[in-house]
Amino acid sequence: MSESPTGPASHAPAQAGADHPAYPVGLRLSGRRVVIVGGGTVAQRRLPALLAAGADVVVVSPAVTPSVEAMADAGEVTWERRPYAPGDLAEAWYALVATDDPATNTAASAEAEERRVWCVRSDEAAAATAWTPATGHSEGVTVAVLTGNDPRRSAAVRDAVVEGLHDGTLSAPRHRARHAGVALVGGGPGDPDLITVRGRRLLAEADVVVADRLGPRDLLAELPPHVEVIDAAKIPYGRAMAQEAINDALIEHAKAGKSVVRLKGGDPFVFGRGMEEAEQLAEAGIPVTVVPGITSAVSVPAAVGIPVTHRGVAHEFTVLSGHVAPGDPSSLVDWEALARLGGTLVLLMAVERIGAIAETLVRYGRDAATPVAIVQEGTMAGERRVDATLATVAERAAAEAVRPPAVVVIGDVVSLGARSRP
């Protein structure tokens, strides 16, 4: 949070400027000496930004927090393990005074004034010659906010601006030419709020969006009118856009100089054919950016209260595709080995073959009473959960008319999830 005037000034220069606003400026501190007097939580909060700026930081304090000590042990800062002494600010470009002793703070601040070192005071901002704004970052942009004597408002304004830049709701077009290319964006399990901030920002900046049926569809309605949306829906056992046609569309639009987003459900590299597309784009000389997404394999079970791991219950979980039945020559799954595992099994694209899968697991030794949960349309408006066991899951899925998209969870963690529901 930003420091701003909260009390009477203790130095004449600060008093003389009390009625004037601060002059905003960005300090380039790379390789320059910065002194922090005090090693408490204020210093701990300020250090990461100073280190990111490349400052040569010296901390003067008899004791510091464990985090500050870790920075000193790692060689990121120099820690002088003693109280402040006159002369500590020699050669400094910037100082932060943040001890719990008012006399020490006043003495250090006076030295800064004498040496003409810009100085922030954590205890009495009106007596300082510099204030720390509420700052945030978004894609190379630094947002710094000062609101006089209302630091909470500074932080609130900062947060609003940074969030808007992140998710694209704040329009800030780039005036430099954008580089054409394709971003493979994982949209998460379906709820539009679960896309990553980077994914949402890239979506807002796109010229063309090639979207799957399982992507966060509500976000498409927010796109500007000029954005071309290409339906690449892959509806199971129905109409589909061939993968080759998708690859061709991505390459064609990128070569036309456009910024293209391939919007997928879940994560691009978890049964999303993301690598196939990335390889084809690379062969065509198209720059590719991969934006990971929240995979439905863990997020959908979590949405209905099922942890895929739990202490004393499951120490591992296995994610597998059920689009190929056990026994099919094209299957790459070792079902016998899976049946011997004691952890959680998470199946994607398995609704049509859940009966054959359950029968195979039981045949290879998995207890028929093992709990099973099927979560249909997880995180979306139509979300529902159907509970069963390996012995009954095929019958229950048919009786409940379960349809894709759905995630199947097999293991004792399913019972934990049932107990956690009201």
Side-chain angles (χ1 to χ4, degrees), residues 214-291:
L214 299 182
R217 294 164 292 177
D218 292 350
L219 293 178
L220 300 179
E222 300 178 3
L223 297 175
H226 72 274
V227 178
E228 180 179 358
V229 178
I230 298 174
D231 180 10
K234 293 189 174 186
I235 302 172
Y237 318 112
R239 211 172 134 198
M241 185 177 183
Q243 185 62 52
E244 293 77 9
I246 295 174
N247 296 343
D248 291 344
L250 296 174
I251 293 170
E252 175 188 349
H253 288 288
K255 283 190 172 181
K258 296 179 180 179
S259 175
V260 184
V261 166
R262 175 71 168 104
L263 182 62
K264 297 171 171 288
D267 182 277
F269 285 0
V270 180
F271 304 130
R273 295 194 173 182
M275 181 53 72
E276 295 178 36
E277 293 170 355
E279 289 174 341
Q280 291 296 311
L281 291 164
E283 287 183 13
I286 305 297
V288 181
T289 299
V290 179
V291 181

Side-chain angles (χ1 to χ4, degrees), residues 65-87:
T65 68
S67 293
V68 175
E69 184 172 3
M71 294 180 198
D73 290 343
E76 295 180 286
V77 304
T78 300
W79 177 20
E80 298 286 345
R81 306 187 186 202
R82 56 173 176 76
Y84 161 80

Side-chain angles (χ1 to χ4, degrees), residues 161-200:
V161 174
V162 171
E163 182 178 358
L165 290 173
H166 272 321
D167 62 26
T169 56
L170 179 60
S171 178
R174 299 171 186 261
H175 292 281
R176 289 184 300 172
R178 288 182 296 169
H179 296 293
V182 176
L184 306 179
V185 175
D191 184 336
D193 287 341
L194 295 179
I195 189 173
T196 64
V197 291
R198 189 181 187 198
R200 190 159 187 166

Side-chain angles (χ1 to χ4, degrees), residues 355-376:
I357 291 171
E359 180 183 347
T360 300
L361 290 172
V362 172
R363 183 170 72 250
Y364 283 129
R366 194 81 184 233
D367 190 342
T370 301
V372 179
I374 306 176
V375 186
Q376 179 181 310

Side-chain angles (χ1 to χ4, degrees), residues 17-328:
D19 296 330
H20 296 281
Y23 180 78
V25 66
L27 297 181
R28 302 180 64 188
L29 296 173
S30 178
R32 295 184 168 96
R33 179 181 173 88
V34 172
V35 177
I36 298 180
V37 181
T41 57
V42 174
Q44 179 178 318
R45 290 199 309 268
R46 298 289 179 251
L47 273 169
L50 290 170
L51 294 175
D56 179 10
V57 181
V58 177
V59 177
V60 180
S61 180
V64 297
T65 68
S67 293
V68 175
E69 184 172 3
M71 294 180 198
D73 290 343
E76 295 180 286
V77 304
T78 300
W79 177 20
E80 298 286 345
R81 306 187 186 202
R82 56 173 176 76
Y84 161 80
D88 280 341
L89 302 189
E91 306 300 324
W93 290 72
Y94 182 70
L96 169 62
V97 178
T99 78
D100 55 7
D101 177 24
T104 296
N105 294 344
T106 298
S109 182
E111 181 184 350
E113 184 73 36
E114 180 182 354
R115 294 182 181 276
R116 297 187 179 182
V117 176
W118 295 110
C119 179
V120 173
R121 280 188 63 166
S122 64
D123 62 336
E124 192 176 355
T129 53
W131 299 336
T132 303
T135 58
H137 304 276
S138 176
E139 290 297 310
V141 175
T142 298
V143 177
V145 181
L146 288 169
T147 56
N149 61 355
D150 194 347
R152 291 188 178 182
R153 188 182 182 205
S154 295
V157 173
R158 180 270 319 276
D159 292 343
V161 174
V162 171
E163 182 178 358
L165 290 173
H166 272 321
D167 62 26
T169 56
L170 179 60
S171 178
R174 299 171 186 261
H175 292 281
R176 289 184 300 172
R178 288 182 296 169
H179 296 293
V182 176
L184 306 179
V185 175
D191 184 336
D193 287 341
L194 295 179
I195 189 173
T196 64
V197 291
R198 189 181 187 198
R200 190 159 187 166
R201 179 184 57 76
L202 289 173
L203 192 63
E205 295 178 353
D207 300 310
V208 178
V209 177
V210 181
D212 275 350
R213 178 178 71 98
L214 299 182
R217 294 164 292 177
D218 292 350
L219 293 178
L220 300 179
E222 300 178 3
L223 297 175
H226 72 274
V227 178
E228 180 179 358
V229 178
I230 298 174
D231 180 10
K234 293 189 174 186
I235 302 172
Y237 318 112
R239 211 172 134 198
M241 185 177 183
Q243 185 62 52
E244 293 77 9
I246 295 174
N247 296 343
D248 291 344
L250 296 174
I251 293 170
E252 175 188 349
H253 288 288
K255 283 190 172 181
K258 296 179 180 179
S259 175
V260 184
V261 166
R262 175 71 168 104
L263 182 62
K264 297 171 171 288
D267 182 277
F269 285 0
V270 180
F271 304 130
R273 295 194 173 182
M275 181 53 72
E276 295 178 36
E277 293 170 355
E279 289 174 341
Q280 291 296 311
L281 291 164
E283 287 183 13
I286 305 297
V288 181
T289 299
V290 179
V291 181
I294 302 175
T295 175
S296 59
V298 293
S299 59
V300 166
V304 295
I306 299 175
V308 294
T309 64
H310 187 74
R311 185 172 59 178
V313 178
H315 289 176
E316 85 277 351
F317 69 97
T318 304
V319 181
L320 59 149
S321 170
H323 77 289
V324 176
D328 189 297

